[in-house]
Amino acid sequence: MNLNLSADEVLTTTRSVRKRLDLEKPVPRDVLMECLEIALQAPTGSNAQGWQWVFVEDAEKKKALADIYRTNATPYLNAPKPSFGDSRDERTPKVMDSAKFLNEHLHEVPVMLIPCLEGRPDGAPASMSAGFWGSLMPAVWSFMLALRSRGLGSAWTSLHLMGDGEKQAAELLGIPFDRYAQGGLFPIAYTKGTDFKPAKRLPAEQLTHWDTW
């Protein structure tokens, strides 16, 4: 199913989907591979293409990954959240409620994705760290946009990477921990409805600087 959305519509309505993930509807592999072929057209530093993409469908492995995620996510989500002092505070309770729902139901999603990139930026200076993640994140975002245009959704999560979580996930999935860094954990499912709208964001004028801060 292709929603025939314009580029602007896809860019402005691709949300972090949690409560509206359809946990019952299977996701065909060919759809995932179609989205990945699109994502692989994204820019990557020096055209190295050092990425690897680990999809997880096995129920026991999904449960194990969800357990790793919950070890870090549960205390984080239950901790008090700081106030921004602006319109963002209005959305915080809803975002936290949505994130807690995903935390509870993560193991039920049809597919999980862990994108990986060759190398480890641990302790690298900002220039190298930015270049490293910049060689993976555009492709991941392109993958999420491709999902959206086909009636699927995801959410960018990274809490499983805290502490020993990344290493535990690597051992579970056979990812060479010393050679590949994980860029996150992405639940994937068809969405319940496709009527997503642009989110409330701070106005661009408030965030823009010309020639100086």
Side-chain angles (χ1 to χ4, degrees):
M1 175 180 65
N2 196 308
L3 302 182
N4 294 317
L5 301 175
S6 70
D8 284 359
E9 287 177 302
V10 173
L11 287 167
T12 57
T13 63
T14 298
R15 306 263 65 85
S16 284
V17 185
R18 303 179 184 96
K19 283 190 171 183
R20 290 178 61 181
L21 293 173
D22 189 334
L23 304 178
E24 304 295 331
K25 185 176 181 179
V27 176
R29 287 189 178 187
D30 61 330
V31 174
L32 295 173
M33 294 305 296
E34 187 176 275
C35 291
L36 185 56
E37 289 286 358
I38 292 171
L40 295 183
Q41 292 297 315
T44 175
S46 301
N47 194 33
Q49 303 177 57
W51 43 43
Q52 297 288 330
W53 306 79
V54 183
F55 292 99
V56 183
E57 299 173 312
D58 180 81
E60 291 186 5
K61 290 184 177 181
K62 286 190 295 182
K63 183 181 183 302
L65 284 173
D67 288 342
I68 295 170
Y69 181 87
R70 288 190 191 103
T71 298
N72 296 324
T74 300
Y76 170 80
L77 294 174
N78 289 333
K81 296 298 177 283
S83 172
F84 293 105
D86 55 36
S87 60
R88 286 173 286 183
D89 292 335
E90 300 174 10
R91 300 291 302 169
T92 298
K94 290 184 178 181
V95 171
M96 288 299 102
D97 181 64
S98 175
K100 289 179 180 179
F101 176 88
L102 180 63
N103 188 39
E104 295 171 2
H105 295 275
L106 182 58
H107 61 287
E108 301 176 47
V109 300
V111 185
M112 295 177 181
L113 165 66
I114 294 182
C116 303
L117 189 66
E118 188 171 14
R120 299 205 63 85
D122 307 336
S127 59
M128 293 182 64
S129 180
F132 180 86
W133 292 117
S135 292
L136 178 66
M137 299 315 182
V140 177
W141 180 233
S142 290
F143 181 80
M144 293 180 71
L145 296 174
L147 289 176
R148 161 65 177 148
S149 70
R150 287 160 177 77
L152 294 94
S154 186
W156 201 313
T157 78
S158 58
L159 290 174
H160 90 282
L161 300 172
M162 296 172 60
D164 293 328
E166 183 186 8
K167 192 169 186 178
Q168 292 171 1
E171 292 173 353
L172 174 69
L173 302 174
I175 299 170
F177 181 78
D178 58 336
R179 289 182 53 211
Y180 284 89
Q182 300 170 39
L185 173 61
F186 297 78
I188 301 171
Y190 281 97
T191 58
K192 296 177 180 179
T194 58
D195 55 331
F196 295 94
K197 299 177 181 179
K200 291 183 179 179
R201 298 293 195 218
L202 297 175
E205 293 81 1
Q206 187 175 330
L207 309 171
T208 306
H209 310 269
W210 298 95
D211 298 325
T212 188
W213 188 270

